[in-house]
Amino acid sequence: MLDLLKDIVAFMRQRKKYWLLPIVVVMVLLGSLLVLTQGSAIAPFIYTLF
């Protein structure tokens, strides 16, 4: 997973596609939020936000 993020950052630097950075950050944050709250007691509170 870390290699994938490194490849994406290298792609953005090489091709000068810096506008992709906010999209990637939001996708990583939402994905980690879903994974971390899948089996916890916080899950019902997270789902009410969306």
Side-chain angles (χ1 to χ4, degrees):
M1 185 66 182
L2 194 57
D3 291 334
L4 177 65
L5 290 176
K6 286 180 183 178
D7 287 342
I8 290 172
V9 170
F11 170 79
M12 288 189 296
R13 283 185 184 165
Q14 186 177 9
R15 305 256 196 265
K16 302 211 182 341
K17 304 274 184 190
Y18 299 115
W19 56 271
L20 289 173
L21 186 62
I23 297 169
V24 171
V25 169
V26 168
M27 287 176 58
V28 168
L29 288 175
L30 284 176
S32 63
L33 180 69
L34 288 174
V35 168
L36 291 175
T37 61
Q38 187 168 356
S40 72
I42 304 172
F45 301 111
I46 299 296
Y47 294 135
T48 59
L49 294 176
F50 300 106

